[in-house]
Each structure stands twice: as structure tokens, then as C-alpha cells.
Amino acid sequence: MSLRKRFSLKLQEGLMHALGLVCVPLGLSMTLKGEKFLALLLSIVTGGVIGEMLQLEERLERFSQKLEERLRAERNTFAPGFLAATLLFCIGPMTIMGSLEDGLGKVPHILYTKSLLDGTASIAMAASLGVGVPFSALSILLIQGSITLLARFLAPLLSPVLIQEMTATGGILVLGIALNLLKLKKIRVANLLPSLGLIPLFIRIF
């Protein structure tokens, strides 16, 4: 909130582009760890078809728009900042992939990248929506923490091969996020999320 006069839109855009560039080698390094290319290909394609049929990205966008419209009347209260920041920081592919990576015992590169993205966005949001924004940290702790703990609980049941291929699948999604941040191409990454659940099936088949 104290930085709002110095945090220009141009600076925000520059930081987003820098993080987008960082996401490119991160996604590539994750993807290249995979060895079951056919399983990866089928999980991405099938997951994308399911996501498009369910319109996951569109549903999230509509939910965001409706929430924003409802909160406009309460602009100067605590709730708008808290709810808007919670929605932005806790719903999306990087939340799921990063928490899974952390819970499976890997270095949480995705969460580190996500924290910089969220930190950048939080400054701009706090400038306009007030003190409710920093309290969204409680939502992040609850949601990301729950996914991490669940993944840590399931980790002993997952084979090294499965973890490796899930990482590779997540890498494809990170590359999609990189393209979005760089504004090179709009990728509906949320529609690809079902692929993370399908990769175990295709690993077992092949």
C-alpha cells in the first residue's frame, strides 16, 4: 500500500514479462524430465478436450466477473480486497501444480515463481482495494497448504516414474502460462488441468 505511487503500470508489465521469461526454462526443464512421451501427449490432448467440454477457463472467468460486479458497491470495505485477492492467488494452474510439486518433496520452483507473480499483483491490488488484500495470505495458507499436505500424504503411494511424468505434464502447463505472461498467445491453461489427473491412467496403460 505504501508503494502504490511508485508502482506504475509500466513497471508491473515489465516484471510480468521478466517472470514470463523465467517460466520458459522452468517449464522446459520440467517437461524434459519426462520419458513417456506418448502418455504425456495423450494426457494433454485428452485433458484439453475434457477441459474445453467443461469450459473450466470460461467458468472461472465468469465467476471472477460476477464477483467483481458484486463487490463494486462495497469498494471501501474489507471484503472486496480479501475476496478478489483470494480468487486471484488461489484459483489457477500454478496453485495446484506448485503445491503438488512441494508436497511430493521437490524444490517448489513453481511456488517461488508464483510468489513473485502474486507479490507483484498484490501491490497493485492493495493500492486500489486496501487492507483486505494482505489478509488473503490466510486463504493461500489454507488452500495451498491443504493441497501440499494431501500430496505429501499420497507421495508414498506414487511411484518415481509417475511423479516424474506428472512433473513433465505440469511443465507443459507452465509453458502455457509463460506464453500468457509474455502476451504471445492466449492459452486456456485451466482447461488443461484435467491432464494432471489423467497421466497416471496413461502411464498404467503404457
Side-chain angles (χ1 to χ4, degrees), residues 2-55:
S2 63
L3 290 174
R4 57 186 167 187
K5 293 182 179 179
R6 302 178 184 179
F7 209 71
S8 65
L9 290 175
K10 187 175 181 180
L11 177 58
Q12 293 177 48
E13 185 179 56
L15 288 172
M16 291 299 178
H17 287 167
L19 291 169
L21 289 172
V22 170
C23 283
V24 173
L26 173 60
L28 284 173
S29 65
M30 293 172 63
T31 302
L32 293 175
K33 291 178 181 178
E35 298 178 354
K36 310 290 185 182
F37 178 77
L38 188 56
L40 172 63
L41 174 63
L42 288 174
S43 66
I44 290 291
V45 172
T46 308
V49 170
I50 293 173
E52 290 290 343
M53 292 176 64
L54 295 175
Q55 297 183 323

Side-chain angles (χ1 to χ4, degrees), residues 10-202:
K10 187 175 181 180
L11 177 58
Q12 293 177 48
E13 185 179 56
L15 288 172
M16 291 299 178
H17 287 167
L19 291 169
L21 289 172
V22 170
C23 283
V24 173
L26 173 60
L28 284 173
S29 65
M30 293 172 63
T31 302
L32 293 175
K33 291 178 181 178
E35 298 178 354
K36 310 290 185 182
F37 178 77
L38 188 56
L40 172 63
L41 174 63
L42 288 174
S43 66
I44 290 291
V45 172
T46 308
V49 170
I50 293 173
E52 290 290 343
M53 292 176 64
L54 295 175
Q55 297 183 323
L56 298 178
E57 184 104 359
E58 291 81 356
R59 291 174 187 271
L60 285 175
E61 288 179 355
R62 285 199 297 268
F63 178 69
S64 300
Q65 291 170 358
K66 288 181 180 178
L67 181 62
E68 184 179 356
E69 290 171 0
R70 292 185 63 180
L71 294 177
R72 279 177 184 167
E74 306 172 20
R75 194 72 175 176
N76 296 319
T77 65
F78 176 90
F82 176 76
L83 292 175
T86 294
L87 182 67
L88 177 64
F89 302 151
C90 296
I91 298 179
M94 293 189 86
T95 297
I96 297 173
M97 293 185 300
S99 300
L100 286 174
E101 182 182 49
D102 186 25
L104 294 175
K106 297 180 175 293
V107 178
H109 295 296
I110 297 176
L111 286 186
Y112 293 154
T113 305
K114 181 180 181 295
S115 69
L116 289 172
L117 287 168
D118 290 352
T120 302
S122 70
I123 295 174
M125 292 185 71
S128 60
L129 295 177
V131 73
V133 173
F135 280 90
S136 66
L138 299 174
S139 304
I140 296 172
L141 175 64
L142 177 63
I143 295 173
Q144 289 187 178
S146 298
I147 297 173
T148 297
L149 290 174
L150 178 62
R152 189 154 295 179
F153 175 76
L154 295 175
L157 306 177
L158 304 177
S159 68
V161 172
L162 179 55
I163 294 174
Q164 175 180 285
E165 299 307 319
M166 287 180 67
T167 300
T169 305
I172 298 292
L173 274 64
V174 171
L175 287 172
I177 291 169
L179 293 176
N180 288 340
L181 289 173
L182 295 171
K183 297 183 179 179
L184 295 176
K185 179 69 176 178
K186 172 60 178 176
I187 306 294
R188 293 188 288 272
V189 179
N191 287 346
L192 297 174
L193 283 173
S195 61
L196 292 172
L198 290 172
I199 190 67
L201 172 63
F202 289 114

